[in-house]
Coordinates of all heavy atoms in Angstrom, one line a residue:
G1 N 5.1 15.7 -1.7 CA 4.8 14.4 -2.2 C 3.4 13.8 -1.7 O 3.3 12.6 -1.8
A2 N 2.5 14.7 -1.3 CA 1.2 14.1 -0.8 C 0.1 14.2 -1.8 O -1.0 13.9 -1.5 CB 0.9 14.8 0.5
S3 N 0.4 14.7 -2.9 CA -0.7 14.8 -4.0 C -1.0 13.4 -4.4 O -0.2 12.5 -4.4 CB -0.3 15.7 -5.1 OG 0.6 15.0 -6.0
P4 N -2.2 13.1 -4.8 CA -2.6 11.8 -5.3 C -1.7 11.3 -6.4 O -1.3 10.2 -6.5 CB -4.1 12.0 -5.8 CG -4.7 13.1 -4.9 CD -3.4 14.0 -4.7
A5 N -1.3 12.2 -7.3 CA -0.4 11.9 -8.5 C 1.0 11.4 -8.0 O 1.6 10.5 -8.5 CB -0.3 13.0 -9.5
A6 N 1.5 12.2 -7.0 CA 2.8 11.9 -6.5 C 2.8 10.6 -5.7 O 3.7 9.8 -5.8 CB 3.3 13.0 -5.6
I7 N 1.7 10.4 -4.9 CA 1.6 9.1 -4.2 C 1.6 7.9 -5.2 O 2.3 7.0 -5.0 CB 0.3 9.2 -3.3 CG1 0.5 10.2 -2.2 CG2 0.0 7.7 -2.7 CD1 -0.8 10.5 -1.4
R8 N 0.7 8.0 -6.1 CA 0.5 7.0 -7.1 C 1.9 6.7 -7.9 O 2.2 5.5 -8.1 CB -0.6 7.4 -8.1 CG -0.9 6.2 -9.0 CD -2.0 6.6 -10.1 NE -2.4 5.4 -10.7 CZ -1.8 4.8 -11.8 NH1 -0.6 5.3 -12.1 NH2 -2.4 3.8 -12.4
A9 N 2.6 7.7 -8.2 CA 3.8 7.6 -8.9 C 4.9 6.9 -8.1 O 5.8 6.1 -8.6 CB 4.3 8.9 -9.4
A10 N 4.8 7.0 -6.7 CA 5.8 6.4 -5.8 C 5.5 5.0 -5.4 O 6.4 4.4 -4.9 CB 5.9 7.3 -4.6
L11 N 4.3 4.5 -5.8 CA 4.0 3.2 -5.4 C 4.6 2.2 -6.4 O 4.9 2.5 -7.5 CB 2.4 3.0 -5.5 CG 1.6 3.7 -4.4 CD1 0.1 3.7 -4.8 CD2 1.8 3.1 -3.0
L12 N 4.7 0.9 -5.9 CA 5.2 -0.1 -6.8 C 4.1 -0.4 -7.8 O 2.9 -0.1 -7.5 CB 5.3 -1.5 -6.0 CG 6.5 -1.5 -5.0 CD1 6.4 -2.8 -4.2 CD2 7.8 -1.2 -5.6
P13 N 4.4 -0.7 -9.0 CA 3.4 -0.9 -10.1 C 2.2 -1.7 -9.7 O 1.1 -1.4 -10.1 CB 4.2 -1.5 -11.2 CG 5.6 -1.0 -11.0 CD 5.8 -1.0 -9.6
E14 N 2.5 -2.8 -9.0 CA 1.4 -3.7 -8.5 C 0.4 -3.1 -7.6 O -0.7 -3.7 -7.4 CB 1.9 -5.0 -8.1 CG 2.8 -4.9 -6.9 CD 4.3 -4.9 -7.4 OE1 4.7 -4.4 -8.4 OE2 5.2 -5.5 -6.5
D15 N 0.8 -2.0 -7.0 CA -0.2 -1.3 -6.1 C -1.0 -0.1 -6.6 O -1.8 0.4 -6.0 CB 0.5 -0.9 -4.8 CG 0.8 -2.0 -3.8 OD1 0.0 -2.9 -3.8 OD2 1.7 -1.9 -3.0
R16 N -0.6 0.3 -7.8 CA -1.2 1.5 -8.4 C -2.6 1.2 -8.7 O -3.5 2.2 -8.4 CB -0.4 1.9 -9.7 CG 0.9 2.4 -9.4 CD 1.7 2.9 -10.5 NE 3.0 3.2 -10.1 CZ 4.1 3.2 -10.8 NH1 4.0 2.8 -12.0 NH2 5.3 3.5 -10.3
E17 N -3.1 0.2 -9.2 CA -4.5 -0.1 -9.4 C -5.3 -0.2 -8.1 O -6.4 0.4 -8.0 CB -4.7 -1.5 -10.1 CG -6.1 -1.8 -10.5 CD -6.3 -3.0 -11.4 OE1 -5.4 -3.4 -12.1 OE2 -7.4 -3.5 -11.3
R18 N -4.7 -0.8 -7.0 CA -5.4 -0.8 -5.7 C -5.5 0.7 -5.2 O -6.5 1.0 -4.6 CB -4.5 -1.6 -4.7 CG -4.6 -3.1 -5.0 CD -3.6 -3.9 -4.2 NE -3.9 -3.7 -2.7 CZ -3.1 -3.9 -1.8 NH1 -1.8 -4.2 -2.0 NH2 -3.3 -3.7 -0.5
F19 N -4.5 1.5 -5.5 CA -4.6 2.9 -5.0 C -5.7 3.5 -5.8 O -6.6 4.3 -5.2 CB -3.3 3.7 -5.3 CG -3.4 5.1 -5.2 CD1 -3.4 5.8 -3.9 CD2 -3.6 6.0 -6.3 CE1 -3.6 7.2 -3.8 CE2 -3.7 7.3 -6.1 CZ -3.6 7.9 -4.8
D20 N -5.8 3.3 -7.1 CA -6.8 3.9 -7.9 C -8.2 3.6 -7.4 O -9.1 4.5 -7.3 CB -6.7 3.5 -9.4 CG -5.4 4.1 -10.0 OD1 -4.8 5.0 -9.6 OD2 -5.1 3.5 -11.2
V21 N -8.4 2.4 -7.1 CA -9.7 1.9 -6.6 C -10.0 2.6 -5.2 O -11.2 3.2 -5.1 CB -9.8 0.4 -6.5 CG1 -11.0 0.0 -5.7 CG2 -9.7 -0.2 -7.9
A22 N -9.1 2.6 -4.3 CA -9.3 3.2 -3.0 C -9.6 4.7 -3.2 O -10.4 5.3 -2.4 CB -8.1 2.9 -2.1
Y23 N -8.8 5.4 -4.0 CA -8.9 6.8 -4.3 C -10.3 7.1 -4.8 O -11.0 8.1 -4.4 CB -7.8 7.3 -5.1 CG -7.8 8.7 -5.5 CD1 -7.8 9.7 -4.4 CD2 -7.8 9.3 -6.8 CE1 -7.8 11.1 -4.7 CE2 -7.8 10.6 -7.0 CZ -7.8 11.5 -5.9 OH -7.8 12.8 -6.3
E24 N -10.7 6.4 -5.8 CA -12.0 6.7 -6.5 C -13.2 6.4 -5.4 O -14.1 7.2 -5.4 CB -12.3 5.8 -7.7 CG -11.4 6.1 -8.9 CD -11.7 7.5 -9.3 OE1 -12.9 8.0 -9.4 OE2 -10.7 8.2 -9.8
E25 N -13.0 5.3 -4.6 CA -14.1 5.1 -3.6 C -14.2 6.3 -2.6 O -15.2 6.7 -2.3 CB -13.8 3.8 -2.9 CG -14.1 2.6 -3.7 CD -13.6 1.3 -3.0 OE1 -13.1 1.4 -1.9 OE2 -13.9 0.2 -3.5
A26 N -13.0 6.8 -2.2 CA -13.0 7.9 -1.3 C -13.5 9.1 -1.9 O -14.3 9.9 -1.2 CB -11.6 8.1 -0.7
L27 N -13.3 9.4 -3.1 CA -13.8 10.5 -3.8 C -15.2 10.5 -3.9 O -15.9 11.5 -3.6 CB -13.2 10.7 -5.2 CG -11.8 11.3 -5.4 CD1 -11.3 11.2 -6.9 CD2 -11.7 12.6 -4.8
A28 N -15.8 9.3 -4.2 CA -17.2 9.1 -4.4 C -17.9 9.3 -3.0 O -19.0 10.0 -2.9 CB -17.6 7.7 -4.9
Q29 N -17.3 8.8 -2.0 CA -17.8 9.0 -0.6 C -17.8 10.5 -0.2 O -18.7 11.0 0.4 CB -17.0 8.2 0.4 CG -17.6 8.2 1.8 CD -16.8 7.4 2.7 OE1 -15.8 6.7 2.4 NE2 -17.1 7.3 4.0
A30 N -16.8 11.1 -0.5 CA -16.7 12.6 -0.2 C -17.7 13.4 -1.0 O -18.3 14.3 -0.4 CB -15.3 13.1 -0.6
R31 N -17.9 13.0 -2.2 CA -19.0 13.7 -3.0 C -20.3 13.5 -2.3 O -21.1 14.5 -2.2 CB -19.0 13.2 -4.4 CG -18.1 13.9 -5.4 CD -18.3 13.5 -6.8 NE -17.0 13.3 -7.4 CZ -16.4 12.1 -7.7 NH1 -17.1 10.9 -7.4 NH2 -15.3 12.0 -8.2
E32 N -20.6 12.3 -1.9 CA -21.9 12.0 -1.3 C -22.1 12.7 0.1 O -23.1 13.3 0.4 CB -22.1 10.6 -1.2 CG -23.5 10.1 -0.8 CD -23.6 8.7 -0.9 OE1 -23.3 8.0 -1.9 OE2 -24.1 8.1 0.1
S33 N -21.1 12.6 0.9 CA -21.2 13.0 2.3 C -20.7 14.5 2.5 O -21.1 15.1 3.5 CB -20.3 12.2 3.2 OG -18.9 12.4 2.9
L34 N -20.1 15.1 1.5 CA -19.6 16.4 1.5 C -18.6 16.5 2.7 O -18.5 17.6 3.4 CB -20.7 17.5 1.7 CG -21.6 17.5 0.5 CD1 -22.7 18.6 0.8 CD2 -20.9 17.8 -0.8
D35 N -17.8 15.5 3.0 CA -16.9 15.4 4.1 C -15.6 14.8 3.5 O -15.7 13.7 3.0 CB -17.4 14.5 5.2 CG -16.5 14.4 6.4 OD1 -15.4 15.0 6.4 OD2 -16.9 13.9 7.4
L36 N -14.5 15.4 3.6 CA -13.2 15.1 3.0 C -12.4 14.2 4.0 O -11.3 13.7 3.6 CB -12.4 16.3 2.6 CG -13.0 17.1 1.5 CD1 -12.2 18.4 1.3 CD2 -13.2 16.3 0.2
T37 N -12.9 14.0 5.2 CA -12.1 13.2 6.2 C -11.6 11.8 5.7 O -10.4 11.6 5.8 CB -12.9 13.1 7.6 OG1 -13.3 14.4 7.9 CG2 -12.1 12.4 8.6
E38 N -12.5 11.1 5.2 CA -12.1 9.7 4.8 C -11.1 9.8 3.6 O -10.2 9.0 3.5 CB -13.3 8.9 4.3 CG -13.0 7.4 4.1 CD -12.4 6.7 5.2 OE1 -12.6 6.9 6.4 OE2 -11.5 5.8 4.9
L39 N -11.4 10.7 2.7 CA -10.4 11.0 1.5 C -9.0 11.2 2.1 O -8.0 10.6 1.6 CB -10.9 12.1 0.7 CG -10.0 12.5 -0.5 CD1 -9.8 11.3 -1.5 CD2 -10.5 13.7 -1.2
F40 N -8.9 12.2 3.0 CA -7.6 12.5 3.5 C -7.0 11.3 4.3 O -5.7 11.1 4.2 CB -7.7 13.7 4.5 CG -7.9 15.0 3.8 CD1 -8.8 16.0 4.4 CD2 -7.5 15.2 2.5 CE1 -9.0 17.2 3.8 CE2 -7.8 16.4 1.9 CZ -8.6 17.4 2.5
K41 N -7.8 10.5 5.0 CA -7.3 9.3 5.7 C -6.7 8.3 4.7 O -5.6 7.8 4.9 CB -8.4 8.7 6.6 CG -8.7 9.4 7.8 CD -9.8 8.6 8.6 CE -10.2 9.3 9.8 NZ -11.3 8.6 10.5
R42 N -7.5 8.1 3.6 CA -7.0 7.2 2.6 C -5.6 7.6 1.9 O -4.8 6.9 1.7 CB -8.0 6.8 1.6 CG -9.2 6.0 2.3 CD -9.8 5.2 1.2 NE -11.1 4.8 1.8 CZ -12.0 4.1 1.1 NH1 -11.9 3.8 -0.1 NH2 -13.1 3.7 1.7
L43 N -5.6 8.9 1.6 CA -4.5 9.4 1.0 C -3.3 9.3 1.9 O -2.1 9.0 1.5 CB -4.7 10.9 0.5 CG -5.5 11.1 -0.7 CD1 -5.8 12.6 -0.9 CD2 -4.9 10.5 -1.9
E44 N -3.5 9.6 3.2 CA -2.4 9.4 4.2 C -1.9 8.0 4.3 O -0.7 7.7 4.3 CB -2.8 10.0 5.6 CG -1.7 9.9 6.6 CD -0.4 10.6 6.3 OE1 -0.3 11.4 5.4 OE2 0.6 10.3 7.0
H45 N -2.9 7.1 4.3 CA -2.5 5.7 4.3 C -1.6 5.3 3.1 O -0.6 4.7 3.2 CB -3.8 4.7 4.3 CG -3.5 3.4 3.9 ND1 -3.0 2.4 4.9 CD2 -3.6 2.7 2.7 CE1 -2.8 1.3 4.2 NE2 -3.2 1.4 2.9
W46 N -2.1 5.7 1.9 CA -1.3 5.3 0.7 C 0.0 6.2 0.7 O 1.0 5.6 0.1 CB -2.1 5.6 -0.5 CG -3.1 4.5 -0.7 CD1 -4.5 4.4 -0.4 CD2 -2.8 3.2 -1.1 NE1 -5.0 3.2 -0.7 CE2 -4.0 2.4 -1.1 CE3 -1.6 2.5 -1.6 CZ2 -4.1 1.1 -1.5 CZ3 -1.6 1.2 -2.0 CH2 -2.9 0.4 -2.0
R47 N 0.1 7.4 1.2 CA 1.3 8.1 1.2 C 2.3 7.3 2.1 O 3.5 7.2 1.7 CB 1.1 9.5 1.8 CG 2.4 10.4 1.8 CD 2.2 11.7 2.6 NE 2.2 11.3 4.0 CZ 3.2 11.0 4.8 NH1 4.4 11.0 4.3 NH2 3.0 10.8 6.1
R48 N 1.9 6.8 3.1 CA 2.8 6.0 4.1 C 3.3 4.7 3.3 O 4.4 4.4 3.4 CB 2.1 5.6 5.3 CG 2.0 6.8 6.2 CD 1.2 6.5 7.5 NE 1.0 7.7 8.3 CZ 0.6 7.7 9.6 NH1 0.3 6.6 10.1 NH2 0.3 8.9 10.1
V49 N 2.4 4.1 2.6 CA 2.7 2.9 1.9 C 3.8 3.3 0.8 O 4.8 2.6 0.6 CB 1.5 2.2 1.1 CG1 1.9 1.1 0.2 CG2 0.5 1.7 2.2
A50 N 3.5 4.4 0.1 CA 4.5 4.8 -0.9 C 5.8 5.1 -0.3 O 6.9 4.8 -0.9 CB 3.9 6.0 -1.7
L51 N 5.8 5.7 0.9 CA 7.1 6.1 1.6 C 7.8 4.7 1.9 O 9.0 4.6 1.7 CB 6.8 6.8 2.9 CG 8.0 7.2 3.6 CD1 8.9 8.1 2.8 CD2 7.6 8.0 4.9
L52 N 7.1 3.7 2.4 CA 7.7 2.4 2.7 C 8.3 1.8 1.4 O 9.4 1.2 1.4 CB 6.8 1.5 3.3 CG 6.3 1.7 4.7 CD1 5.1 0.8 5.1 CD2 7.5 1.4 5.6
Q53 N 7.6 2.0 0.3 CA 7.9 1.3 -0.9 C 9.1 2.2 -1.7 O 9.5 1.7 -2.7 CB 6.8 1.1 -1.9 CG 5.8 0.1 -1.3 CD 4.6 -0.1 -2.2 OE1 4.4 0.6 -3.2 NE2 3.7 -1.0 -1.8
S54 N 9.5 3.3 -1.1 CA 10.4 4.1 -1.8 C 11.8 3.4 -2.0 O 12.6 3.7 -2.9 CB 10.6 5.5 -1.2 OG 11.2 5.2 0.2
N55 N 12.0 2.5 -1.1 CA 13.2 1.5 -1.2 C 12.7 0.1 -1.4 O 12.4 -0.6 -0.4 CB 14.1 1.7 0.0 CG 15.4 0.8 -0.2 OD1 15.3 -0.3 -0.7 ND2 16.5 1.4 0.3
P56 N 12.5 -0.3 -2.6 CA 11.8 -1.6 -2.8 C 12.5 -2.8 -2.0 O 11.8 -3.7 -1.5 CB 11.9 -1.9 -4.3 CG 11.9 -0.5 -4.8 CD 12.7 0.3 -3.8
E57 N 13.8 -2.8 -2.0 CA 14.5 -4.0 -1.2 C 14.1 -3.9 0.3 O 13.9 -4.9 1.0 CB 16.0 -3.9 -1.5 CG 16.3 -4.6 -2.7 CD 15.7 -6.0 -2.9 OE1 15.9 -6.9 -2.0 OE2 15.1 -6.2 -3.9
D58 N 14.1 -2.6 0.9 CA 13.7 -2.6 2.3 C 12.3 -2.9 2.5 O 12.0 -3.6 3.5 CB 14.0 -1.2 2.7 CG 15.4 -0.8 3.1 OD1 16.3 -1.7 3.1 OD2 15.7 0.4 3.2
Y59 N 11.5 -2.6 1.6 CA 10.1 -2.9 1.6 C 9.8 -4.4 1.6 O 9.1 -5.0 2.4 CB 9.3 -2.3 0.5 CG 7.8 -2.6 0.5 CD1 6.9 -2.1 1.5 CD2 7.2 -3.4 -0.5 CE1 5.6 -2.5 1.6 CE2 5.9 -3.7 -0.5 CZ 5.0 -3.2 0.6 OH 3.7 -3.5 0.6
R60 N 10.6 -5.1 0.7 CA 10.4 -6.5 0.6 C 10.9 -7.2 1.9 O 10.3 -8.1 2.4 CB 11.3 -7.1 -0.6 CG 10.6 -6.9 -1.9 CD 11.6 -7.3 -3.0 NE 10.9 -7.2 -4.3 CZ 10.4 -6.1 -5.0 NH1 10.6 -5.0 -4.4 NH2 9.8 -6.3 -6.1
R61 N 12.0 -6.7 2.5 CA 12.5 -7.2 3.8 C 11.4 -7.0 4.9 O 11.1 -7.9 5.7 CB 13.8 -6.5 4.2 CG 15.0 -7.3 4.1 CD 16.2 -6.7 4.6 NE 16.5 -5.3 4.3 CZ 17.1 -5.0 3.2 NH1 17.4 -5.9 2.3 NH2 17.3 -3.8 2.9
V62 N 10.8 -5.9 4.9 CA 9.7 -5.6 5.9 C 8.6 -6.5 5.7 O 8.1 -7.1 6.7 CB 9.3 -4.1 5.9 CG1 8.0 -3.9 6.7 CG2 10.4 -3.2 6.3
V63 N 8.1 -6.8 4.6 CA 7.0 -7.6 4.2 C 7.4 -9.1 4.7 O 6.6 -9.7 5.2 CB 6.6 -7.6 2.7 CG1 5.6 -8.7 2.4 CG2 6.1 -6.1 2.4
R64 N 8.6 -9.5 4.3 CA 9.0 -10.9 4.7 C 9.0 -11.0 6.2 O 8.5 -12.0 6.7 CB 10.4 -11.2 4.1 CG 10.4 -11.6 2.7 CD 11.7 -12.4 2.4 NE 12.9 -11.6 2.6 CZ 13.4 -10.7 1.7 NH1 12.8 -10.5 0.6 NH2 14.5 -10.0 1.9
R65 N 9.5 -10.0 6.9 CA 9.6 -10.2 8.4 C 8.1 -10.1 8.9 O 7.8 -10.9 9.9 CB 10.3 -8.9 9.0 CG 11.8 -9.1 9.0 CD 12.4 -8.1 9.9 NE 13.5 -7.5 9.2 CZ 13.8 -6.2 9.0 NH1 13.1 -5.3 9.6 NH2 14.8 -5.8 8.2
A66 N 7.2 -9.4 8.3 CA 5.8 -9.3 8.8 C 5.2 -10.7 8.6 O 4.5 -11.3 9.5 CB 5.1 -8.3 8.2
A67 N 5.4 -11.3 7.4 CA 4.9 -12.6 7.0 C 5.4 -13.6 8.0 O 4.6 -14.5 8.4 CB 5.3 -12.9 5.6
E68 N 6.7 -13.6 8.3 CA 7.3 -14.6 9.2 C 6.6 -14.4 10.6 O 6.2 -15.5 11.3 CB 8.8 -14.4 9.3 CG 9.5 -15.0 8.2 CD 11.0 -14.7 8.2 OE1 11.6 -14.1 9.2 OE2 11.7 -15.2 7.4
A69 N 6.5 -13.2 11.0 CA 6.0 -13.0 12.5 C 4.5 -13.3 12.6 O 4.1 -13.9 13.5 CB 6.1 -11.5 12.8
L70 N 3.7 -13.1 11.5 CA 2.3 -13.4 11.5 C 2.0 -14.9 11.2 O 1.0 -15.4 11.7 CB 1.5 -12.5 10.5 CG 1.5 -11.0 11.0 CD1 1.1 -10.2 9.9 CD2 0.8 -10.8 12.3
S71 N 2.8 -15.5 10.4 CA 2.6 -16.9 10.0 C 3.2 -17.9 10.9 O 2.9 -19.0 11.0 CB 2.9 -17.2 8.5 OG 4.4 -17.2 8.4
G72 N 4.3 -17.4 11.6 CA 5.1 -18.3 12.4 C 6.0 -19.2 11.7 O 6.5 -20.2 12.2
Q73 N 6.1 -18.9 10.3 CA 7.0 -19.8 9.5 C 8.0 -18.9 8.8 O 7.7 -17.8 8.4 CB 6.0 -20.5 8.4 CG 5.1 -21.4 9.1 CD 4.1 -21.9 8.0 OE1 4.3 -21.7 6.8 NE2 3.1 -22.7 8.4
P74 N 9.2 -19.5 8.6 CA 10.2 -18.7 7.8 C 9.8 -18.4 6.4 O 9.0 -19.3 5.8 CB 11.5 -19.7 7.9 CG 10.9 -21.0 8.2 CD 9.6 -20.8 8.9
V75 N 10.2 -17.3 5.8 CA 9.8 -17.0 4.5 C 11.1 -17.0 3.6 O 12.1 -16.4 4.0 CB 9.2 -15.6 4.4 CG1 9.0 -15.2 3.0 CG2 7.9 -15.6 5.2
P76 N 11.2 -17.9 2.6 CA 12.4 -17.9 1.8 C 12.7 -16.6 1.1 O 11.8 -15.8 0.8 CB 12.0 -19.0 0.7 CG 10.8 -19.6 1.1 CD 10.1 -18.7 2.1
E77 N 14.0 -16.4 1.0 CA 14.4 -15.1 0.3 C 13.9 -14.8 -1.1 O 13.7 -13.8 -1.5 CB 16.0 -15.0 0.3 CG 16.6 -14.7 1.6 CD 16.5 -13.3 2.0 OE1 16.7 -12.4 1.2 OE2 16.4 -13.1 3.3
D78 N 13.7 -16.0 -1.8 CA 13.2 -15.9 -3.1 C 11.8 -15.9 -3.3 O 11.2 -16.0 -4.4 CB 13.9 -16.9 -4.0 CG 13.6 -18.4 -3.6 OD1 13.0 -18.6 -2.5 OD2 13.8 -19.3 -4.4
E79 N 11.0 -16.0 -2.2 CA 9.6 -16.0 -2.3 C 9.0 -14.7 -3.0 O 9.5 -13.6 -2.6 CB 9.0 -16.2 -0.9 CG 7.4 -16.2 -0.9 CD 6.9 -16.4 0.5 OE1 6.7 -17.7 0.8 OE2 6.5 -15.5 1.1
P80 N 8.1 -14.8 -4.0 CA 7.6 -13.6 -4.6 C 6.9 -12.7 -3.6 O 6.3 -13.1 -2.6 CB 6.6 -14.2 -5.5 CG 7.0 -15.6 -5.8 CD 7.6 -16.0 -4.5
L81 N 7.1 -11.4 -3.8 CA 6.5 -10.4 -2.9 C 5.1 -10.6 -2.7 O 4.6 -10.4 -1.5 CB 6.9 -9.0 -3.4 CG 6.3 -7.8 -2.6 CD1 6.9 -7.8 -1.2 CD2 6.5 -6.5 -3.3
E82 N 4.3 -10.9 -3.7 CA 2.9 -11.0 -3.5 C 2.5 -12.2 -2.5 O 1.6 -12.1 -1.8 CB 2.2 -11.2 -4.9 CG 2.1 -9.9 -5.6 CD 1.4 -8.8 -4.8 OE1 0.3 -8.9 -4.3 OE2 1.9 -7.6 -4.8
V83 N 3.3 -13.3 -2.6 CA 3.0 -14.4 -1.8 C 3.3 -13.9 -0.3 O 2.5 -14.2 0.6 CB 3.9 -15.6 -2.2 CG1 3.7 -16.7 -1.1 CG2 3.5 -16.1 -3.5
S84 N 4.4 -13.3 -0.1 CA 4.7 -12.8 1.3 C 3.7 -11.8 1.8 O 3.3 -11.8 3.0 CB 6.1 -12.1 1.3 OG 7.1 -13.0 0.9
R85 N 3.2 -10.9 0.9 CA 2.2 -10.0 1.3 C 0.9 -10.6 1.7 O 0.2 -10.2 2.6 CB 1.9 -8.9 0.1 CG 3.0 -7.9 0.0 CD 2.9 -7.1 -1.2 NE 1.7 -6.6 -1.6 CZ 1.5 -5.3 -2.0 NH1 2.5 -4.5 -2.2 NH2 0.3 -4.9 -2.4
T86 N 0.6 -11.7 1.0 CA -0.7 -12.5 1.3 C -0.5 -13.1 2.6 O -1.4 -13.0 3.5 CB -0.9 -13.5 0.2 OG1 -1.1 -12.8 -1.0 CG2 -2.2 -14.3 0.6
R87 N 0.7 -13.6 2.9 CA 0.9 -14.2 4.2 C 0.8 -13.3 5.3 O 0.4 -13.5 6.5 CB 2.3 -14.9 4.3 CG 2.6 -16.1 3.6 CD 3.9 -16.5 4.1 NE 4.6 -17.4 3.2 CZ 5.3 -18.4 3.7 NH1 5.6 -18.6 4.9 NH2 6.0 -19.3 2.8
A88 N 1.3 -12.0 5.1 CA 1.2 -11.0 6.0 C -0.1 -10.2 6.1 O -0.3 -9.4 7.0 CB 2.3 -9.9 5.8
G89 N -1.0 -10.6 5.2 CA -2.3 -9.9 5.1 C -2.3 -8.5 4.6 O -3.1 -7.7 5.0
L90 N -1.3 -8.2 3.8 CA -1.2 -6.8 3.2 C -1.7 -6.7 1.8 O -1.5 -7.5 0.9 CB 0.3 -6.5 3.2 CG 1.1 -6.5 4.6 CD1 2.5 -6.2 4.4 CD2 0.5 -5.4 5.5

């Protein structure tokens, strides 16, 4: 599951565009530098995000907890995921 296509497919729909941008930037950098290190780092980062998102409810809980810890304020159960992610800096 570490291919770019598998990683992208496992992401929540709202993160697929962000993945595409990060992947394209890393590919361009790799073409220019002839070094794949940054590409592999970005793919690994997104693979981990996809793994976290494999259970959307668990992911939402983790994001809410992070938002509460970082903001110091309780996060309502019905708060949209994007709002909680913004609070958590994700």
